Amino acid sequence: MKLFEPLDINGMRVPNRIMVPAMVTHLCREDGMVNDDIMARYVGYAEGGVGLIVVEAMAIHQNKSGSLLRISDDRFIPGLRELTGRIHAVSDSKVVPQIIHFLKVARSGWRQTVDQVSDEDVALIIRQFGEAAARVREAGFDGVELHSAHAYTLSSFLSRTNPRTDAYGGESLETRLRLIGEVMASVRRAVGPDFPVCVRFNAEEFIRKGYTVDESKWIALRLAELGFDYLSLSVGGKFEDAQHTPGQVLFPYSGYSGERCMPDAWLPRALNADLAAQIKAHLLAHGRHTPVAIAGKLSDPDDAERVLAEGSADIVAIARGLLADPAWPRKVREGRREQIAQCDYCNVCKQLDGAHRPVICTLWPQGALQAPKDDATASVAVWDDPVTLQTGARGVTLRWKKKPGTLRYDIYRGIGEQALQLIESTKVTNWTDHEVLGGRSYVYAVRAVLPGGRASEASAPQRVDLPHPTYTTQD
Amino acid sequence: MKLFEPLDINGMRVPNRIMVPAMVTHLCREDGMVNDDIMARYVGYAEGGVGLIVVEAMAIHQNKSGSLLRISDDRFIPGLRELTGRIHAVSDSKVVPQIIHFLKVARSGWRQTVDQVSDEDVALIIRQFGEAAARVREAGFDGVELHSAHAYTLSSFLSRTNPRTDAYGGESLETRLRLIGEVMASVRRAVGPDFPVCVRFNAEEFIRKGYTVDESKWIALRLAELGFDYLSLSVGGKFEDAQHTPGQVLFPYSGYSGERCMPDAWLPRALNADLAAQIKAHLLAHGRHTPVAIAGKLSDPDDAERVLAEGSADIVAIARGLLADPAWPRKVREGRREQIAQCDYCNVCKQLDGAHRPVICTLWPQGALQAPKDDATASVAVWDDPVTLQTGARGVTLRWKKKPGTLRYDIYRGIGEQALQLIESTKVTNWTDHEVLGGRSYVYAVRAVLPGGRASEASAPQRVDLPHPTYTTQD
């Protein structure tokens, strides 16, 4: 599989094409230090076989921001060095931190915008990125990723909505690109030519007057020309369309652009693959081979493999899917797909992030702060009683008997003669499919899954033929 | 060219694949009657060679709505019959009206939502669509199109955000599809099996919690199964994310979804082609050959032809491009592309629509209420003095001398060694390209265009090589 081919990124040999992109965990305290929970979270990805671990955004400056990791001072280095040491000790995974600068936000809904950043502060931002990158190298990371995506400072300068009118302003693409260019110069000088310096930015902003792939393909080309060693693509996640909850700071994943950034269950799978393909093609057409990573509902192994096989990207970035099951890479490689705790995009993790609470997955055992350990040896349950189907105006409802010891139930559906596909995971013993349409037939089966990952055989497939609707009118 | 292949739609022989989709003109008065301005606008499309003319949305009911055409009573039939007669007299173009039901809106920002529609009113809507369709046939139209797109009643029932909890409600896709199904039954009974009944709906809503192509491909399949004779795809244009201007009724094209619906200059060309392709493929996979029309920045003839040639759709719907130049089809067919008044997506037409003022194009002569007549015989201007280029931090500025008698100037650009492409039209004698990037070369040329459409030779191409940016940091 393409998924398990290694990749060399400026001397950093990544053992496979699977990246866990930066995800805030809210596992650290206000002090911004690495602690045991943080350690357990990231070592879990390493044990699971993730090729490239991007540690959650850490602040390069002192701005207040709650439970965010920090790299704004040398005193943060020892904790980070312990983290990289532990990851390297248990795996050949590579690990880079995402380093971030963000502007001020208030609970009133007020937020600092880039036109309120003074020239002195611009110079400070450039210097702080360089200083933080030097600490990254000292802490034993394999590279560094600059956060120039979503709602944060570098992204806001890059945005088509950048309201500045000076040499860093929004009047032209060239001036919008200036800050990231100067930051790169500062970072490269700090870490030297042989250390991977990478960047995450938006392939599309998904806001009014925001940029699209027509511009991001040129942004990508410039970033490649500046010497960034990989380009990690995300989308949306902007303040401009965020919904303000009174008394809380704006959460940039609460508007439409946030929905595109962390898509809910009903959005298409692999929904950003085409953006990546356009950007990759543009880079290649200009002779640039910089690796491209793409995120967005890629937790189905077939989707992930296809995106790589089609050449749309070089790396698949799987955030929520690897949160749900850090052993995803190992299970895919070993042909144990049915044991994967498959993210169903319920987005409870996103809600926890928005509420600044420790980010966990609802597919884990009740109360767990980490994913259950991969356990391929637990005995397999059998499934011997039927799943009952009930059809109604609002869909097809499945019910089954509780299986003791079960962590969750995985639900599979086939439409017509299609093969069954995993479509939902649940901890309760019933589920309603609201997407069915009259005039078609559907087949359902359910598996029980143990905490360690082992799944039962599937229940006997149950078929339902829905009658065509017969529309009558009252006239 | 695929563009000029005829198409049979339930007995309606459309002479080519070019559709002007419904565009509000605000040329009629509060009485909702056809007048001379309306007549001139649509006869212009017929004279220009448009294959299928969709007349702007006309109300099937009495709700107040300003300068909107109406078909809510038999007294509107004579005017409409004169319109269809004139179109048929001058062309083999086919003409269908878009018929619409909309809910109440107020200047306070309040709007009626579908959960406020009583069961009696649902029945009334179904009956009114049938009665209006009967009038459509009587008025000599070649078919009828139901408006189930954007912010209007049928679309709001179809939406994933439909808040009703009854048999027409949002809990399942099947119940959301019920109203359009019952409306179709009513319309089909009114017009008979041999009259084209068509529908426009959203391929994607582009709002929070809105539906995507994952659902619209199933919606399309159901609409095909219901016997709709073409499916015309649009996107967005919703009330849910509209920006409220105090004292004005909500304009559903003012939010992000409105930007996707009527994309501005910086959005990609042919931006909905992939949605159409996915829907078309889904229909074909289920044995349905219902023609699909797609809209969204298709006014470049190469884009339009490619969308058809690749099989993404069967009809290209070009709204603003045909507003700018109703003779687009004839000019393309006759190899006179350089004479096309090429829409530059300045969206003044959209602003006029939002302000309820007569919709015109800025590329027309000052004060004109209609496009200038196609005139292939006017003498060609020569261009003998140079265009000057000035480079600066914010882009490349072109300046040239005014050419007497010129209506507009078309600006062409090539990037590096690429062929020159038309990128902008302007009535003034300078223009700045903000999209250029250091480290590349650009070539520019300008043509002067006469009111009748004839263009001068292009000015001598001017090349500029922009230096790479040299980033320095202050640390």
Side-chain angles (χ1 to χ4, degrees), chain B residues 431-454:
Chain B
W431 181 74
T432 299
D433 186 354
H434 296 291
E435 293 290 316
V436 295
L437 285 180
R440 339 215 72 86
S441 61
Y442 298 86
V443 178
Y444 297 91
V446 183
R447 281 182 203 265
V449 184
L450 301 178
R454 288 293 262 182

Side-chain angles (χ1 to χ4, degrees), chain A residues 171 174 189 394 438 473 475, chain B residues 171 174 189 394 438 473:
Chain A
E171 283 186 286
E174 185 70 69
R189 197 157 58 227
R394 288 168 187 78
T473 61
D475 64 356
Chain B
E171 282 185 287
E174 185 70 69
R189 195 156 61 227
R394 288 167 186 79
T473 61

Side-chain angles (χ1 to χ4, degrees), chain B residues 188-318:
Chain B
R188 186 54 83 194
R189 195 156 61 227
V191 299
D194 62 338
F195 192 69
V197 178
C198 312
V199 63
R200 194 174 210 208
F201 72 102
N202 278 354
E204 181 157 348
E205 296 195 273
F206 284 109
I207 52 171
R208 281 187 73 209
K209 306 193 188 298
Y211 71 70
T212 70
V213 69
D214 273 3
E215 281 197 345
S216 64
K217 66 185 182 184
W218 290 105
I219 293 171
L221 182 57
R222 168 60 62 82
L223 296 176
E225 289 169 354
L226 289 175
F228 280 104
D229 292 306
Y230 71 65
L231 310 180
S232 178
L233 303 176
S234 186
V235 302
K238 305 297 287 182
F239 277 132
E240 282 77 0
D241 67 348
Q243 316 274 311
H244 184 228
T245 305
Q248 293 187 19
V249 298
L250 269 182
F251 182 55
Y253 307 100
S254 56
Y256 178 75
S257 72
E259 192 167 280
R260 294 300 300 224
C261 185
M262 287 192 245
D264 287 290
W266 64 88
L267 287 152
R269 305 188 320 190
L271 76 174
N272 299 324
D274 184 56
L275 291 173
Q278 290 182 65
I279 288 171
K280 184 75 194 168
H282 190 72
L283 290 170
L284 289 175
H286 289 81
R288 294 284 165 178
H289 295 267
T290 311
V292 169
I294 183 67
K297 278 211 174 181
L298 292 168
S299 66
D300 180 290
D302 291 333
D303 289 336
E305 177 68 13
R306 190 177 53 250
V307 164
L308 297 174
E310 291 177 351
S312 304
D314 306 284
I315 303 167
V316 286
I318 303 173

Side-chain angles (χ1 to χ4, degrees), chain B residues 30 53 80 184 194 274 331 341 391 438 465:
Chain B
E30 296 260 344
I53 299 167
L80 293 166
M184 178 48 161
D194 62 338
D274 184 56
K331 289 175 178 174
T391 66
D465 298 294

Side-chain angles (χ1 to χ4, degrees), chain A residues 119 123 126-127 130 160 165-168 171-179 181-183 185-186 189 204 206-215 218-219 221-222 225-226 243 254-256 259-260 264-269 274 286 393-395 415 418 434-440 442 468-469 471-475, chain B residues 119 123 126-127 130 160 165-168 171-179 181-183 185-186 189 204 206-215 218-219 221-222 225-226 243 254-256 259-260 264-269 274 286 393-395 415 418 434-440 442 468-469 471-475:
Chain A
D119 290 353
I126 293 165
R127 205 182 69 213
R160 255 196 104 257
T165 54
D166 66 353
Y168 299 93
E171 283 186 286
S172 76
L173 184 54
E174 185 70 69
T175 49
R176 285 156 45 201
L177 278 160
R178 184 176 176 120
L179 181 58
E182 296 190 351
V183 165
S186 167
R189 197 157 58 227
E204 183 158 348
F206 284 110
I207 52 170
R208 281 187 73 209
K209 307 196 187 297
Y211 70 70
T212 69
V213 69
D214 273 2
E215 281 198 344
W218 290 105
I219 294 170
L221 182 57
R222 167 60 62 81
E225 289 169 353
L226 289 175
Q243 316 273 311
S254 57
Y256 177 75
E259 191 166 281
R260 294 300 298 225
D264 287 291
W266 64 89
L267 287 152
R269 305 186 322 188
D274 185 56
H286 289 82
R394 288 168 187 78
I415 306 177
Q418 284 176 16
H434 297 292
E435 292 290 316
V436 296
L437 285 180
R440 338 214 73 84
Y442 298 85
H468 276 282
Y471 291 120
T472 55
T473 61
Q474 294 97 323
D475 64 356
Chain B
D119 290 353
I126 294 165
R127 204 181 69 211
R160 256 196 104 257
T165 54
D166 66 352
Y168 299 93
E171 282 185 287
S172 76
L173 184 54
E174 185 70 69
T175 47
R176 284 155 46 200
L177 277 160
R178 185 177 174 119
L179 180 59
E182 296 189 352
V183 165
S186 166
R189 195 156 61 227
E204 181 157 348
F206 284 109
I207 52 171
R208 281 187 73 209
K209 306 193 188 298
Y211 71 70
T212 70
V213 69
D214 273 3
E215 281 197 345
W218 290 105
I219 293 171
L221 182 57
R222 168 60 62 82
E225 289 169 354
L226 289 175
Q243 316 274 311
S254 56
Y256 178 75
E259 192 167 280
R260 294 300 300 224
D264 287 290
W266 64 88
L267 287 152
R269 305 188 320 190
D274 184 56
H286 289 81
R394 288 167 186 79
I415 305 177
Q418 284 177 14
H434 296 291
E435 293 290 316
V436 295
L437 285 180
R440 339 215 72 86
Y442 298 86
H468 277 282
Y471 293 118
T472 55
T473 61
Q474 294 96 325
D475 64 354

